[in-house]
Amino acid sequence: AKNFVFRFLLCSPCTIFANYMKKIVLSLYLLATVVAAWAYRPDVTFVSPLNIPLVLSANFGELRPNHFHSGLDFKTQGRTGLPVFAADSGYVSRIAVSPWGYGNALYITHPSGYTTVYGHLLSFAPFIADRVRQMQYERESFAIDTMLPPGTILVDRGMRVATSGNTGSSGGPHLHFEVRHTESESPLDPLPWFARKIKDNIAPEPRQLALYPHDGVVDGKHRKAVRSLQAQGGNVYTTAAFTAWGEVSVGIKAYDRMSGTSNIYGVRSVKCWIDDSLLYESLVDSITFAETRYVNALIDYDELRSNNGSTIMRTYIAPGNHLSTVYGDVSNRGIFVVDEARTYRGRFELTDYYGNRSTVRFTIKGTPGETVRRTATGELFAYDRANSYETDDMRFSLPEGALYEDVTFTHSAEESSRYYSALHKVLKPTVPLHTWGELALKLTCDTLPDSCYYMVYIRNGRKSPVVGRYDAGWYVARVRDLGTYAVAADTIPPTITPLNSAKWGTNGTVSLKITDAGSGISSYRGEIDGMFCLFEYDAKRSRLTCRLKNTPLTRGGSHRLVMTVADECGNRKVLKRTFTW
């Protein structure tokens, strides 16, 4: 039989297939080698994008809701308007302007194979701003996102290209700076290029340790146990012993610290041993945007949503967690078995880029107990297939890959006089979704025009609009969070409030505040004397601003403003105002 199998493998079709597979494996290996080589090139240098001492307000890979932080946030001394310089020579390859996200952002591609990104800018340098304004007027839109061919806008190393700001979704003045591998567009940790300019002799700071039962018990219960940590000196921390039996995994809440600032940061390297056998290791020095949402599987998502954003990093890797750039050696998906009545000794090591290290020592006392947990009632939603659920007044579906692990789906509905549907609790908000699902809710009161309806997501008393479509007595929307939903209606147009209009002419700036209490602002358009005029939109402050000197208007005399603002349900508000400039 062995000889037959050997002769079969040598037959022509199998030989061709085997050679073909070898080529594929070799190609993948070479590709991985090339990407790894790009990760950090010590022969490439960057100058500082700021001319002040570099201090970080956020580091690379910090754990954020739904994503890893993809760059470094440089402090700008609490100010905006500091000059921003090109880290190296190259060409401007992309310009983006948005009320959200990176706000005003500049992308510079360099001959080295890297692209640097500068986000939340207050303004662009004049030679770039003129091109941006031209594109905005051509498209009659404040928000733009455009790719530029090589050679369109060239920059030299150290050239001033912008000023620092607080635009987009920024929570305060700073410069968001990234280094990306140009070909793959994957962000890399920029710290190796600036480490000599940033001081750090402080080790990471662990705060809590958690133990999770799988087919097991922790402290006699089928739920996680969380312990606070006590410093023992010398960057060593301990905690009271756990008891456990069966399959368990570990989690740690920790932050990094840096010299000269009180900020907290993400931990770069995490390793965990059980009885001197490596259970888990992770290193956050590169990510891909395609995988960044897997951060919701790396952390304890239930803890994040239940405890005011608390982030516990877990050793457990769920079967639907396909994060490829962070994990190193992980044994048995980060789960180990407590099956002996003895003391198991565990150890975490947390390390930053500079080699500062903290150690957490913990013990688990093996205590025999019942390991079979009670089966939850509901319908099984499996992580490795598409799932759906339907009642007379609700339909919900998820594609394959939306879940990180199997869950028991639950649903309940409660009549409500405040909404145009029942209040539907779709599973619970502590279960993460990786991709979009589709939710359809039946209207219990369908008396308004179809366009007036929208869906709301309700969590902790706060309502967030979810815009979808009306469909024959149902409202259908894509959702990426689980929890409570209902159908609402919006028949009230947005509000437009002139700000200090008496001084528009003397200040040379037209300022307005726009708000909407229902479905949210969808669009706006400002015209002065019948011509489109650019209004910058600061969504955080609900402000529209037009700098008159940058418009095609002729100064002198009276001018007529017409501002039109629409919400997501199509309600429109028009403001007309005359001013002198």
Side-chain angles (χ1 to χ4, degrees), residues 199-500:
K199 296 181 180 179
D200 185 6
N201 55 19
I202 302 177
E205 179 185 295
R207 295 187 177 183
Q208 290 180 328
L209 202 66
L211 195 63
Y212 298 84
H214 295 269
D215 287 334
V217 292
V218 172
D219 290 347
K221 299 177 181 179
H222 293 284
R223 62 172 182 261
K224 72 183 177 190
V226 181
R227 301 271 200 278
S228 296
L229 294 169
Q230 292 80 42
Q232 302 300 317
N235 296 325
V236 175
Y237 298 76
T238 61
T239 188
F242 296 93
T243 65
W245 195 255
E247 294 184 348
V248 296
S249 62
V250 199
I252 188 166
K253 178 178 179 178
Y255 300 103
D256 196 12
R257 294 284 194 178
M258 301 192 81
S259 303
T261 176
S262 61
N263 291 76
I264 55 176
Y265 308 91
V267 179
R268 188 173 193 266
S269 171
V270 178
K271 293 183 178 181
C272 180
W273 290 265
I274 301 296
D275 288 341
D276 296 323
S277 293
L278 183 65
L279 174 70
Y280 169 94
E281 66 175 349
S282 64
L283 175 67
V284 187
D285 62 357
S286 65
I287 57 173
T288 69
F289 288 115
E291 295 184 354
T292 190
R293 195 174 173 90
Y294 283 117
V295 69
N296 291 335
L298 182 145
I299 63 173
D300 179 345
Y301 192 78
D302 178 273
E303 179 77 8
L304 177 80
R305 299 302 294 267
S306 302
N307 194 12
N308 196 29
S310 174
T311 51
I312 296 177
M313 298 170 283
R314 299 191 62 178
T315 63
Y316 169 59
I317 301 179
N321 175 5
H322 303 299
L323 183 61
S324 65
T325 60
V326 170
Y327 297 118
D329 290 337
V330 179
S331 175
N332 192 33
R333 307 195 71 87
I335 297 173
F336 64 97
V337 181
V338 177
D339 56 1
E340 298 178 32
R342 64 177 179 87
T343 298
Y344 294 75
R345 302 190 180 279
R347 182 175 90 255
F348 270 100
E349 285 189 359
L350 313 174
T351 313
D352 64 21
Y353 177 79
Y354 296 85
N356 301 305
R357 178 177 300 170
S358 294
T359 300
V360 176
R361 303 185 185 279
F362 61 97
T363 57
I364 303 170
K365 296 180 179 179
T367 306
E370 178 61 53
T371 61
V372 179
R373 66 176 69 211
R374 290 176 294 179
T375 303
T377 58
E379 183 170 324
L380 175 68
F381 269 32
Y383 79 93
D384 57 353
R385 69 169 190 238
N387 298 276
S388 62
Y389 185 87
E390 184 174 344
T391 67
D392 292 339
D393 59 356
M394 188 278 288
R395 300 191 301 264
F396 182 62
S397 62
L398 290 176
E400 181 180 347
L403 296 169
Y404 300 123
E405 55 188 329
D406 295 351
V407 299
T408 301
F409 182 80
T410 58
H411 165 258
S412 63
E414 177 184 334
E415 291 186 6
S416 173
S417 60
R418 297 182 60 187
Y419 297 101
Y420 289 78
S421 74
L423 279 167
H424 292 267
K425 293 183 179 180
V426 184
L427 229 166
K428 52 186 178 180
T430 53
V431 175
L433 292 182
H434 190 71
T435 57
W436 296 90
E438 184 174 273
L439 176 63
L441 302 182
K442 187 174 183 179
L443 275 69
T444 54
C445 180
D446 190 0
T447 58
L448 299 173
D450 300 351
S451 63
C452 292
Y453 299 112
Y454 68 102
M455 197 177 288
V456 289
Y457 176 61
I458 306 165
R459 181 171 177 266
N460 296 334
R462 299 184 62 181
K463 296 183 289 186
S464 302
V466 181
V467 178
R469 70 183 191 278
Y470 176 88
D471 184 13
W474 292 71
Y475 196 83
V476 185
R478 298 172 72 228
V479 298
R480 215 170 185 179
D481 290 289
L482 296 169
T484 302
Y485 287 90
V487 177
D490 186 355
T491 59
I492 302 174
T495 61
I496 307 175
T497 306
L499 300 176
N500 202 13

Side-chain angles (χ1 to χ4, degrees), residues 22 118 189 268 300 341 440 513 577:
K22 286 180 181 178
Y118 313 75
D189 188 354
R268 188 173 193 266
D300 179 345
K513 181 177 181 179
R577 184 64 58 96

Side-chain angles (χ1 to χ4, degrees), residues 48 54 142 145 186-188 199 259 389 404 428 521 541:
S48 174
L54 296 184
F142 165 68
D145 190 348
S186 297
L188 312 168
K199 296 181 180 179
S259 303
Y389 185 87
Y404 300 123
K428 52 186 178 180
I521 300 294
R541 300 169 60 234

